[in-house]
Amino acid sequence: MLAEPRTLAPPERRVAEVKRVERVGAYDLIVARDPIGPADPRPGQFYMLSAGERWGGGDGERPYLPRAFSFARVRPLPGDRGADLSFLLEDVGPGTRRLGELAAGESLALLGPLGVGFTRPADGRRPLLVGGGIGAAPILCWDDELRADAVEASILLGFRSAGHAAAAALFGGEPDVCTDDGSAGRRALVTEPLRAELERDPRATVYACGPEPMLDAVRELCRELAVPAQLALEAGMACGYGACFGCVVPTVEGYARVCVDGPVFDAEALA
Ligand SMILES: Cc1cc2nc3c(=O)[nH]c(=O)nc-3n(C[C@H](O)[C@H](O)[C@H](O)COP(=O)(O)OP(=O)(O)OC[C@H]3O[C@@H](n4cnc5c(N)ncnc54)[C@H](O)[C@@H]3O)c2cc1C
Ligand code: FES
Protein backbone atom coordinates (compact mmCIF):
# COMPACT_ATOMS: atom_id res chain seq x y z
CA MET A 1 0.00 0.00 0.00
CA LEU A 2 2.77 2.43 0.84
CA ALA A 3 4.96 4.37 -1.46
CA GLU A 4 8.17 3.99 0.52
CA PRO A 5 10.92 6.52 -0.09
CA ARG A 6 11.54 7.65 3.47
CA THR A 7 14.54 9.52 4.82
CA LEU A 8 14.53 9.11 8.61
CA ALA A 9 14.34 12.21 10.79
CA PRO A 10 16.81 12.81 13.60
CA PRO A 11 14.75 12.03 16.73
CA GLU A 12 14.46 15.54 18.11
CA ARG A 13 13.40 19.06 17.35
CA ARG A 14 16.29 21.19 16.07
CA VAL A 15 16.74 24.80 15.12
CA ALA A 16 17.38 26.07 11.61
CA GLU A 17 18.42 29.62 10.76
CA VAL A 18 16.17 31.59 8.46
CA LYS A 19 18.22 32.81 5.48
CA ARG A 20 15.43 34.79 3.82
CA VAL A 21 11.69 35.06 3.42
CA GLU A 22 10.42 36.10 -0.01
CA ARG A 23 6.96 37.03 -1.11
CA VAL A 24 5.99 34.92 -4.15
CA GLY A 25 2.68 36.39 -5.28
CA ALA A 26 0.11 35.34 -2.66
CA TYR A 27 2.56 33.00 -0.90
CA ASP A 28 5.61 33.26 1.37
CA LEU A 29 8.77 31.31 0.56
CA ILE A 30 10.94 30.64 3.62
CA VAL A 31 14.51 29.51 3.04
CA ALA A 32 16.22 28.14 6.18
CA ARG A 33 19.58 26.49 6.84
CA ASP A 34 19.25 23.17 8.65
CA PRO A 35 22.91 22.41 9.37
CA ILE A 36 22.54 18.98 10.99
CA GLY A 37 19.47 17.44 9.39
CA PRO A 38 19.57 15.04 6.44
CA ALA A 39 20.63 16.45 3.09
CA ASP A 40 18.29 14.15 1.18
CA PRO A 41 14.65 14.48 2.28
CA ARG A 42 12.40 12.70 -0.23
CA PRO A 43 9.98 14.82 -2.28
CA GLY A 44 6.57 14.49 -0.62
CA GLN A 45 8.03 14.27 2.89
CA PHE A 46 7.23 17.09 5.31
CA TYR A 47 8.53 18.90 8.39
CA MET A 48 6.74 20.09 11.53
CA LEU A 49 7.63 23.79 11.82
CA SER A 50 7.32 26.47 14.45
CA ALA A 51 8.88 29.86 14.97
CA GLY A 52 11.77 29.80 17.46
CA GLU A 53 10.18 32.73 19.29
CA ARG A 54 6.73 34.31 19.52
CA TRP A 55 4.90 31.11 18.73
CA GLY A 56 1.63 31.73 20.45
CA GLY A 57 -0.02 34.17 22.85
CA GLY A 58 2.30 36.17 25.05
CA ASP A 59 6.02 36.85 25.40
CA GLY A 60 8.07 33.70 25.81
CA GLU A 61 5.01 31.45 25.45
CA ARG A 62 4.82 28.48 23.11
CA PRO A 63 1.17 27.42 23.24
CA TYR A 64 0.73 26.49 19.57
CA LEU A 65 1.49 23.07 18.20
CA PRO A 66 3.97 22.98 15.31
CA ARG A 67 2.36 22.91 11.86
CA ALA A 68 3.08 20.49 8.98
CA PHE A 69 4.71 21.73 5.77
CA SER A 70 6.02 19.89 2.74
CA PHE A 71 9.48 21.03 1.83
CA ALA A 72 9.39 22.73 -1.56
CA ARG A 73 13.08 22.71 -2.43
CA VAL A 74 16.31 21.31 -0.97
CA ARG A 75 19.90 22.40 -1.57
CA PRO A 76 22.37 20.09 0.23
CA LEU A 77 25.22 21.81 2.07
CA PRO A 78 28.82 20.75 1.35
CA GLY A 79 29.66 17.56 3.29
CA ASP A 80 27.27 14.74 4.07
CA ARG A 81 24.79 16.54 6.32
CA GLY A 82 22.70 19.66 6.33
CA ALA A 83 20.66 21.47 3.71
CA ASP A 84 19.02 24.75 2.84
CA LEU A 85 15.31 23.96 2.89
CA SER A 86 12.58 26.01 1.25
CA PHE A 87 8.97 26.02 2.37
CA LEU A 88 6.11 27.63 0.46
CA LEU A 89 3.37 28.89 2.76
CA GLU A 90 -0.12 30.24 2.35
CA ASP A 91 -1.31 32.50 5.17
CA VAL A 92 -4.48 30.73 6.34
CA GLY A 93 -4.22 31.11 10.11
CA PRO A 94 -2.04 32.14 13.05
CA GLY A 95 0.75 29.59 12.42
CA THR A 96 1.32 30.38 8.76
CA ARG A 97 1.03 34.12 9.49
CA ARG A 98 3.72 33.98 12.19
CA LEU A 99 6.02 31.86 10.04
CA GLY A 100 5.60 34.33 7.17
CA GLU A 101 6.74 37.13 9.51
CA LEU A 102 10.12 35.46 10.19
CA ALA A 103 13.16 37.46 9.14
CA ALA A 104 16.71 36.51 8.14
CA GLY A 105 18.76 35.43 11.16
CA GLU A 106 15.73 34.31 13.21
CA SER A 107 15.23 30.71 14.21
CA LEU A 108 12.85 28.17 12.74
CA ALA A 109 12.30 25.10 14.92
CA LEU A 110 11.78 21.95 12.88
CA LEU A 111 11.27 18.24 13.11
CA GLY A 112 11.69 16.12 10.02
CA PRO A 113 11.77 14.96 7.34
CA LEU A 114 8.64 12.94 8.19
CA GLY A 115 6.38 10.52 6.32
CA VAL A 116 6.95 8.88 2.95
CA GLY A 117 7.43 10.60 -0.37
CA PHE A 118 6.81 9.91 -4.05
CA THR A 119 8.17 6.85 -5.88
CA ARG A 120 9.44 6.82 -9.46
CA PRO A 121 7.08 5.76 -12.25
CA ALA A 122 7.20 2.18 -13.50
CA ASP A 123 9.34 1.68 -16.59
CA GLY A 124 7.97 3.28 -19.71
CA ARG A 125 5.56 5.57 -17.88
CA ARG A 126 6.09 9.32 -17.95
CA PRO A 127 5.62 11.38 -14.79
CA LEU A 128 2.70 13.79 -14.95
CA LEU A 129 2.84 16.22 -12.01
CA VAL A 130 -0.30 18.04 -10.88
CA GLY A 131 -0.37 20.77 -8.23
CA GLY A 132 -3.35 22.73 -6.93
CA GLY A 133 -2.70 25.98 -5.03
CA ILE A 134 -0.27 25.52 -2.15
CA GLY A 135 -0.13 21.84 -3.19
CA ALA A 136 2.44 23.02 -5.72
CA ALA A 137 5.04 22.84 -2.90
CA PRO A 138 5.89 19.09 -3.00
CA ILE A 139 5.43 19.08 -6.77
CA LEU A 140 8.26 21.64 -7.04
CA CYS A 141 10.89 19.49 -5.27
CA TRP A 142 9.71 16.38 -7.13
CA ASP A 143 10.17 18.23 -10.43
CA ASP A 144 13.62 19.44 -9.27
CA GLU A 145 14.69 15.87 -8.53
CA LEU A 146 13.35 14.37 -11.75
CA ARG A 147 14.88 17.22 -13.76
CA ALA A 148 18.29 16.67 -12.08
CA ASP A 149 18.12 13.03 -13.23
CA ALA A 150 17.10 14.12 -16.76
CA VAL A 151 13.64 12.56 -16.37
CA GLU A 152 11.19 14.65 -18.33
CA ALA A 153 7.95 15.44 -16.49
CA SER A 154 4.84 17.33 -17.61
CA ILE A 155 3.63 19.80 -14.99
CA LEU A 156 0.07 21.02 -14.66
CA LEU A 157 -0.67 23.69 -12.05
CA GLY A 158 -4.03 25.10 -11.01
CA PHE A 159 -4.46 28.27 -8.93
CA ARG A 160 -7.25 30.58 -7.84
CA SER A 161 -5.87 33.66 -9.59
CA ALA A 162 -2.77 35.32 -11.04
CA GLY A 163 -1.49 36.25 -7.56
CA HIS A 164 -1.31 32.58 -6.58
CA ALA A 165 -0.09 31.53 -10.04
CA ALA A 166 3.10 33.56 -9.42
CA ALA A 167 4.39 30.37 -7.75
CA ALA A 168 4.59 28.75 -11.20
CA ALA A 169 7.71 30.88 -11.85
CA LEU A 170 9.60 28.80 -9.23
CA PHE A 171 9.49 25.81 -11.60
CA GLY A 172 12.06 25.07 -14.25
CA GLY A 173 10.67 24.54 -17.74
CA GLU A 174 7.20 25.74 -18.65
CA PRO A 175 4.41 24.41 -16.46
CA ASP A 176 0.92 24.47 -17.94
CA VAL A 177 -0.98 26.93 -15.73
CA CYS A 178 -4.75 27.26 -15.20
CA THR A 179 -6.61 29.65 -12.94
CA ASP A 180 -10.18 29.66 -11.67
CA ASP A 181 -10.74 33.23 -12.88
CA GLY A 182 -8.63 33.18 -16.06
CA SER A 183 -6.32 35.93 -14.76
CA ALA A 184 -3.23 33.82 -15.61
CA GLY A 185 -2.89 30.90 -18.01
CA ARG A 186 -6.12 29.36 -19.19
CA ARG A 187 -9.41 29.58 -17.33
CA ALA A 188 -10.01 25.97 -16.29
CA LEU A 189 -9.78 23.49 -13.48
CA VAL A 190 -6.46 21.66 -13.59
CA THR A 191 -8.26 18.37 -14.18
CA GLU A 192 -9.25 19.59 -17.66
CA PRO A 193 -5.69 19.63 -19.11
CA LEU A 194 -4.99 16.48 -17.07
CA ARG A 195 -7.80 14.63 -18.86
CA ALA A 196 -6.55 15.90 -22.23
CA GLU A 197 -2.97 14.76 -21.43
CA LEU A 198 -4.09 11.32 -20.29
CA GLU A 199 -6.41 10.78 -23.24
CA ARG A 200 -3.55 11.74 -25.57
CA ASP A 201 -1.11 9.35 -23.87
CA PRO A 202 -2.28 7.23 -20.91
CA ARG A 203 1.18 5.71 -20.32
CA ALA A 204 1.78 8.05 -17.40
CA THR A 205 1.97 8.01 -13.61
CA VAL A 206 0.16 10.95 -12.04
CA TYR A 207 1.59 12.69 -8.95
CA ALA A 208 -0.81 15.14 -7.34
CA CYS A 209 -1.10 17.43 -4.35
CA GLY A 210 -3.83 19.98 -3.77
CA PRO A 211 -7.17 20.61 -2.12
CA GLU A 212 -9.37 17.62 -1.35
CA PRO A 213 -11.93 18.20 -4.15
CA MET A 214 -9.07 18.37 -6.67
CA LEU A 215 -7.52 15.16 -5.36
CA ASP A 216 -10.93 13.43 -5.47
CA ALA A 217 -11.33 14.49 -9.11
CA VAL A 218 -7.78 13.36 -9.99
CA ARG A 219 -8.40 10.01 -8.31
CA GLU A 220 -11.69 9.51 -10.15
CA LEU A 221 -10.15 10.44 -13.52
CA CYS A 222 -7.16 8.14 -13.02
CA ARG A 223 -9.46 5.29 -11.99
CA GLU A 224 -11.62 5.84 -15.11
CA LEU A 225 -8.57 5.83 -17.40
CA ALA A 226 -6.68 3.10 -15.46
CA VAL A 227 -3.69 5.35 -14.82
CA PRO A 228 -1.66 4.89 -11.60
CA ALA A 229 -1.61 7.91 -9.30
CA GLN A 230 0.19 8.91 -6.14
CA LEU A 231 -1.60 11.52 -4.04
CA ALA A 232 0.02 13.67 -1.34
CA LEU A 233 -2.70 14.22 1.27
CA GLU A 234 -3.20 16.87 3.94
CA ALA A 235 -4.72 16.18 7.34
CA GLY A 236 -4.89 17.98 10.63
CA MET A 237 -1.74 16.94 12.49
CA ALA A 238 -0.94 17.33 16.16
CA CYS A 239 2.31 15.33 16.47
CA GLY A 240 3.51 14.46 12.95
CA TYR A 241 5.13 11.16 13.97
CA GLY A 242 2.38 8.63 14.59
CA ALA A 243 1.55 9.16 18.26
CA CYS A 244 -1.80 10.99 18.35
CA PHE A 245 -3.87 9.30 15.60
CA GLY A 246 -5.30 12.72 14.78
CA CYS A 247 -4.52 12.40 11.08
CA VAL A 248 -6.08 9.07 10.07
CA VAL A 249 -7.68 8.45 6.66
CA PRO A 250 -9.67 5.38 5.58
CA THR A 251 -7.85 3.02 3.23
CA VAL A 252 -8.85 -0.32 1.71
CA GLU A 253 -6.88 -1.98 4.53
CA GLY A 254 -8.38 0.09 7.36
CA TYR A 255 -7.34 3.43 8.82
CA ALA A 256 -3.86 4.76 8.09
CA ARG A 257 -1.99 7.68 9.63
CA VAL A 258 -1.20 10.33 7.05
CA CYS A 259 1.94 11.37 8.95
CA VAL A 260 3.69 7.99 8.95
CA ASP A 261 1.90 5.89 6.30
CA GLY A 262 1.66 8.92 3.96
CA PRO A 263 1.34 11.74 3.18
CA VAL A 264 1.85 10.12 -0.24
CA PHE A 265 -0.58 7.25 -0.91
CA ASP A 266 -1.25 5.21 -4.00
CA ALA A 267 -4.68 6.37 -5.17
CA GLU A 268 -6.10 2.85 -5.29
CA ALA A 269 -5.12 2.26 -1.63
CA LEU A 270 -7.53 4.96 -0.44
CA ALA A 271 -11.07 3.93 0.49
C1 LIG B 1 1.67 16.79 5.12
C2 LIG B 1 1.23 18.23 5.07
C3 LIG B 1 1.92 19.13 4.28
C4 LIG B 1 1.52 20.47 4.23
N1 LIG B 1 2.23 21.32 3.46
C5 LIG B 1 1.91 22.64 3.45
C6 LIG B 1 2.69 23.56 2.68
O1 LIG B 1 3.67 23.20 2.03
N2 LIG B 1 2.32 24.87 2.72
C7 LIG B 1 1.22 25.31 3.44
O2 LIG B 1 0.96 26.54 3.44
N3 LIG B 1 0.46 24.46 4.16
C8 LIG B 1 0.79 23.15 4.19
N4 LIG B 1 0.04 22.28 4.94
C9 LIG B 1 -1.14 22.78 5.65
C10 LIG B 1 -0.78 23.44 6.97
O3 LIG B 1 -0.11 22.54 7.82
C11 LIG B 1 -2.11 23.85 7.67
O4 LIG B 1 -2.86 24.70 6.84
C12 LIG B 1 -1.88 24.48 9.02
O5 LIG B 1 -2.99 24.14 9.84
C13 LIG B 1 -1.79 26.00 8.98
O6 LIG B 1 -1.70 26.48 10.31
P1 LIG B 1 -2.32 27.87 10.72
O7 LIG B 1 -2.12 28.05 12.17
O8 LIG B 1 -1.81 28.95 9.80
O9 LIG B 1 -3.86 27.73 10.37
P2 LIG B 1 -4.94 26.93 11.22
O10 LIG B 1 -5.49 27.78 12.31
O11 LIG B 1 -4.43 25.59 11.57
O12 LIG B 1 -6.07 26.84 10.10
C14 LIG B 1 -5.81 26.14 8.86
C15 LIG B 1 -7.04 26.13 7.99
O13 LIG B 1 -8.03 25.38 8.61
C16 LIG B 1 -9.17 26.18 8.77
N5 LIG B 1 -9.69 25.84 10.08
C17 LIG B 1 -9.09 26.03 11.28
N6 LIG B 1 -9.85 25.59 12.26
C18 LIG B 1 -10.99 25.11 11.67
C19 LIG B 1 -12.18 24.53 12.15
N7 LIG B 1 -12.40 24.35 13.45
N8 LIG B 1 -13.12 24.16 11.24
C20 LIG B 1 -12.92 24.34 9.93
N9 LIG B 1 -11.80 24.90 9.41
C21 LIG B 1 -10.88 25.28 10.27
C22 LIG B 1 -8.71 27.61 8.70
O14 LIG B 1 -9.72 28.47 8.25
C23 LIG B 1 -7.62 27.50 7.70
O15 LIG B 1 -8.14 27.48 6.40
C24 LIG B 1 0.40 20.93 4.99
C25 LIG B 1 -0.30 20.03 5.78
C26 LIG B 1 0.11 18.68 5.82
C27 LIG B 1 -0.64 17.73 6.69
S1 FES C 1 -0.25 13.62 13.42
FE1 FES C 1 -0.20 12.42 15.24
S2 FES C 1 -0.51 10.40 14.45
FE2 FES C 1 -0.40 11.61 12.66
Side-chain angles (χ1 to χ4, degrees), residues 46 67-70 88-90 92-96 134 137 233-235 237 263:
F46 67 97
R67 305 295 201 259
F69 297 94
S70 308
L88 191 65
L89 269 61
E90 179 167 22
V92 295
T96 42
I134 196 65
L233 304 189
E234 259 196 31
M237 288 188 183

Side-chain angles (χ1 to χ4, degrees), residues 15-16 64 68 81 102 131 153 160 197 224 229-230 233 237 265:
V15 174
Y64 295 167
R81 277 202 312 179
L102 285 168
R160 259 169 280 163
E197 277 273 344
E224 178 194 327
Q230 295 177 26
L233 304 189
M237 288 188 183
F265 289 88

